[in-house]
Amino acid sequence: MLEYMNKTAQSVWDNCLLFIKDNIQEQAYKTWFEPIKAVELSDNALYIQVPSKFFYEWLEEHYVKLLKVALTKELGQGAKLLYKIKMENKLGNKLPFTEQLPSNNHAAVKPQEVDAPIQNKNPELKNPFVIPGIRNVKIESQLNSNYNFDNFLEGESNRLARSAGMAVANKPGGTSFNPLLFFGGVGLGKTHLAHAIGVEIKEKHPEKTVLYISAEVFTQQYTDSVKKNTRNDFIHFYQLIDVLIIDDVQFLSGKAGTQDVFFHIFNYLHQNGKQVILTSDKAPVDMQDIEQRLLSRFKWGLSAEIQQPDYETRVAILKNILFRDGVEMPEEIVEYVAKNIKTNIRELEGAIISLIAQSSFNRREVTLELAKQVVEKFVKNVKREVSIDYIQKVVSDYFQLDMETLQSKTRKRDVVQARQLAMFFAKKFTKSSLATIGSQIGDRDHATVLHACKTVDNLVATDKQFKKYVEDIHKKLSL
Ligand code: ADP
Ligand code: MG
């Protein structure tokens, strides 16, 4: 007993920290140990205060042994560690309370040993969206109310995605669609639909904290937080969200640090019944350089594809824009535009808006002639996606093969190389999945396509002649 008399919680903890610091990496130390406060020492039990339950779980999962060794050195064999958890309520406007949990490093501690919760004077979290001087943590949703369900027209191409979105909007966190992931090509409505869910939830449940953020901005914030040593604040901020919408998660590919932090935020939210909504330009199976454990989480809920809209849907979308803008336009014009712009709703909108503008600026009747000009100009300005067939044709011509040979099962070296080049360019120039590319180029599987892409990359780096082939074909395809 006497032994403890001269020690304070602080001095014991300071010594533990010295030991811990020597045994782990600096960043981990800063992230997980600097925020801890030593609050009390009684007998051989040290109470430390941690910022959240997540923090406690993390320490217990990753550092319990280290903590035990450190504490035993200081307090002897019977040393106990107890956590006090600072619990923030979502809006930060009630007094915080603490929850106390034992460490797993020994079995002796029962939760009954809990004493009165400590009052913390400063419950607020630092986070990138807090407006200084305002006490409540107000999180601006970053939602665009123009993107709602009312003006998201339903069609065969988006029916599953739309109805799953509706279900989630009615019961955020309470369906099996968690996470809900929308995937599909550019300009098909992923962002719109993701906003629509957020907007609807805000209407139905104003008390819920909703946040829309692009994966790019998320990554930027995370990188900044690491630089400024505020990684904890970053994590805690995201743990406050009830409905987290992250747009274009394919952007996370290759960014291991951001993926890691997102993985933990995701787990925390998911475990706490919060809703996560994601969008991506690729199906989870086709996402590259995303960690397996994260991909497997993406697949927990529902992945709904948004496909290219059919003709009827395109007409309906155009008419909706005309109606919204109070413009009348002959049926044949609308049909002409819908027939000629097929693959991207953003382009469809762009063409009709430019047509409306042209006719009103120039006070011209909208004639089929004008529509043709506009559509032509529009389609020309937009970089067109080359098809897998076209790529196969260009590659076959270049090597003076016919397409059947290219697609055949032959293992002749030059044919194999040509086939691999076709796969490589299909991957580069189209949005098709590896599986689709494989099936169209000689009925191969996605692993073969992946292998082909890697082989081409290697050969380009090591073989001058081969590099020249790649450059030539690249030029032909870019014309
Ligand atoms: P993505 O995120 O898939 O690239 P967006 O959500 O940005 O596509 O959609 C592109 C444009 O098309 C937006 O202006 C959006 O409002 C519109 N749009 C997409 N799908 C629909 C739809 N089903 N009904 C009406 N407008 C749509
Ligand atoms: Mg988008």
Side-chain angles (χ1 to χ4, degrees), residues 147 151-153 158 185-192 317 345-346 349:
Y147 285 159
N151 60 16
F152 188 85
L153 301 189
N158 62 35
V186 180
L188 296 181
K190 303 180 295 294
T191 298
H192 185 141
I317 288 172
I345 298 177
R346 193 173 295 126
E349 282 183 349

